[in-house]
Amino acid sequence: MKHVIFKYPLNGGPDGTALCLPPGAQPVHADLQPTGPQLWIRHADTRQGHTDVRTFRVVATGEVFPADAQHVGTYLVGSLVWHVLELARPTPTARSGRCG
């Protein structure tokens, strides 16, 4: 099966961003663009079929976060450093631009 890399916008706040992603999806890069923080994710080139709800959260250096969260990327905004984490369990109140 062929793979693609798509860009997903990240929301701020403690609830993070819920994304519906194909099984096996892998975050590959996080960065800031003029429209806000973005996460690039590699996954199977499928627009249909089974998806898993996964939640990503942006935290500042020194901010407390759940111990079971996994670091997936870091980006800079001037002198500030932000980290993108994947939460172990989806947050029910996470906002999403993709999980409709």
Side-chain angles (χ1 to χ4, degrees):
M1 175 168 287
K2 294 182 180 184
H3 279 218
V4 294
I5 295 176
F6 283 133
K7 176 175 73 172
Y8 297 87
L10 295 171
N11 300 312
D15 293 329
T17 303
L19 299 175
C20 292
L21 299 169
Q26 301 172 323
V28 295
H29 184 68
D31 213 337
L32 182 68
Q33 291 195 316
T35 56
Q38 309 290 324
L39 182 61
W40 284 261
I41 299 177
R42 175 187 173 160
H43 55 74
D45 185 15
T46 178
R47 308 304 195 283
Q48 301 176 37
H50 175 76
T51 58
D52 298 320
V53 177
R54 294 169 61 180
T55 304
F56 298 89
R57 181 175 163 201
V58 177
V59 299
T61 297
E63 185 176 341
V64 175
F65 58 87
D68 57 358
Q70 296 295 312
H71 178 267
V72 298
T74 296
Y75 63 92
L76 307 173
V77 180
S79 63
L80 300 176
V81 181
W82 298 91
H83 309 280
V84 180
L85 307 172
E86 182 172 2
L87 303 181
R89 291 169 298 284
T91 304
T93 56
R95 296 174 292 156
S96 171
R98 297 276 181 174
C99 294

